[in-house]
Amino acid sequence: MRELERLERSLWDPETRFDRSAMDAVPADDFIEFGRSGLRYTREDVMPTERDTAAFEAALHGIAYMPIGSECALVTYLSEVRNEREIEWANRSSLWDKSSGTWKLRFHQGTPTQEPL
């Protein structure tokens, strides 16, 4: 589904990722993330602040969409994040919910993995 792919990609685009007003519309109030780091994050934890300007480039590979009922969907993909020091690979999953009328991100998980062969 194009709308969910656009929303997912907006989380990785520096123009929207570091724009608090753009990001405010994405996570649900009760959003939870289990990060690639193993840490747990809340909605407020993932919201950009004035300090957030870390340079990175991200590529999302193999985005797949799986409907779970009429108002819920699972989006999965492989992320490739390049920063000044390294390239980080992770399997990603996002649970999106449209029961409020607009798509909201309810849950996200990043699990470290190796570069695919």
Side-chain angles (χ1 to χ4, degrees), residues 17-30:
R17 176 71 190 115
F18 299 125
D19 179 343
R20 180 132 185 150
S21 62
M23 287 298 294
D24 195 45
V26 178
D29 290 341
D30 59 352

Side-chain angles (χ1 to χ4, degrees), residues 49-110:
T49 67
E50 292 177 14
R51 299 183 314 269
D52 291 330
T53 58
F56 71 91
E57 292 180 33
L60 311 183
H61 305 280
I63 294 178
Y65 163 82
M66 181 186 313
I68 303 173
S70 61
E71 298 179 330
C72 191
L74 178 67
V75 176
T76 59
Y77 56 95
L78 177 67
S79 67
E80 173 187 2
V81 179
R82 296 173 181 263
N83 58 43
E84 296 172 350
R85 297 166 298 173
E86 63 189 330
I87 300 173
E88 298 177 341
W89 293 89
N91 288 308
R92 303 280 179 170
S93 60
S94 296
L95 186 61
W96 292 87
D97 176 15
K98 197 173 183 179
S99 62
S100 66
T102 60
W103 286 110
K104 293 287 188 178
L105 182 58
R106 303 286 303 235
F107 176 80
H108 181 79
Q109 182 165 351

